[in-house]
Amino acid sequence: MSVRSAPDRLLAVLAAFDHEHPALSLTDISRRAGLTLTTAHRLVGALTDWGALERDASGVYHVGLRLWEVAALAPRGLALRQIALPYLEDLYEATHENVQMAVRDGSEVVYIEWLSGRSAVGVHIRVGARWPLHATGVGLALLAHADAESQDEYCAGPLAPFTPHTITDPARLRRVLAEVRRTGVAVSSRQVTDDALSVAAPVRGPGGAVVAAVSVVVPQADVEVPALIPAVRLAARGISRALGWQPTREP
């Protein structure tokens, strides 16, 4: 068995926390990180002293504000959210449905903003949540504009099903990605839940590369996709321009 380095052990402690486990005891951290209780105690103490973890009155640990301060410096995190928020709010006002923004991290999307409609369809999304690329509108928009090698690698891997409508056939996924590139929008119908559909569009950075995607999620039963496409495109284009993208021509 290989011996994990000190940085690996430190990162294992932080990785013990996720959306399903936001609060952990020292014993929980030790077990989830695969560390002895003594090692976990030492590392947790160091992280708590630095501010990466916080300990409440009951002795349970939570992620600390110091990590939020550091994460806010990520160009694809808080900075991107701040630039995009006015356009996302406009999209919400135009639709009164769930509005989302996500970036790609390997084979997954990471949601960096989410505006929830009061009577909108329920979604399994929160800021920081991850989903496979093939199952969401934003994921399809991002994957369609990834490099060919990344697309080949993704299509060759397992495509996890979440509903009977989830794309699990590589050939079908390639056709869908080609259609996304052709139309400039991605439509994901009942892939995550049976009652929801999303329409997404890519967001481009200064050099024209796709850096994020924006989507609206609506009830499947009430959907009118053609009516949503212009609003989603307008929001994505507005964010792109705010980031410094200058299109050579209008579509």
Side-chain angles (χ1 to χ4, degrees), residues 19-20 26 41 50 52 56 65 67 70 82 94 97 99 101 105 111 113 127 135 153 164 171 176 228:
H19 285 289
E20 284 69 43
L26 182 61
H41 181 270
W50 186 75
D56 65 22
L65 285 177
L67 279 187
V70 174
Q82 290 174 332
E97 301 287 356
V99 172
M101 186 173 187
D105 185 20
Y111 289 86
E113 188 55 276
V127 173
E153 182 178 351
V176 169
L228 294 172

Side-chain angles (χ1 to χ4, degrees), residues 56-232:
D56 65 22
S58 67
V60 172
Y61 292 89
H62 308 259
V63 173
L65 285 177
R66 188 71 180 273
L67 279 187
W68 174 259
E69 294 174 13
V70 174
L73 301 175
R76 295 197 300 163
L78 187 59
L80 180 54
R81 290 172 66 191
Q82 290 174 332
I83 292 173
L85 190 56
Y87 303 94
L88 299 178
E89 290 175 338
D90 287 346
L91 181 56
Y92 171 78
E93 289 300 326
T95 62
H96 291 286
E97 301 287 356
N98 291 313
V99 172
Q100 305 167 346
M101 186 173 187
V103 296
R104 177 181 165 225
D105 185 20
S107 61
E108 298 175 313
V109 296
V110 179
Y111 289 86
I112 62 172
E113 188 55 276
W114 169 46
L115 305 181
S116 176
R118 291 183 179 179
S119 58
V121 63
V123 294
H124 301 291
I125 296 300
R126 63 179 71 86
V127 173
R130 293 172 175 265
W131 277 91
L133 291 167
H134 68 282
T136 65
V138 286
L140 291 172
L142 291 165
L143 183 59
H145 294 90
D147 59 87
E149 182 179 354
S150 296
Q151 291 186 29
D152 290 343
E153 182 178 351
Y154 192 91
C155 290
L159 303 177
F162 300 97
T163 74
H165 306 281
T166 306
I167 300 172
T168 56
D169 175 55
R172 181 187 170 204
L173 178 57
R174 290 183 181 279
R175 291 194 297 271
V176 169
L177 297 178
E179 183 67 7
V180 172
R181 289 190 294 272
R182 185 185 72 82
T183 63
V185 294
V187 178
S188 176
S189 177
R190 297 180 291 174
Q191 289 214 79
V192 175
T193 63
D194 285 319
D195 62 347
L197 178 146
S198 67
V199 178
V203 172
R204 298 183 182 274
V210 171
V211 297
V214 173
S215 72
V216 168
V217 181
V218 300
Q220 172 69 31
D222 301 336
V223 69
E224 293 184 8
V225 173
L228 294 172
I229 289 176
V232 176

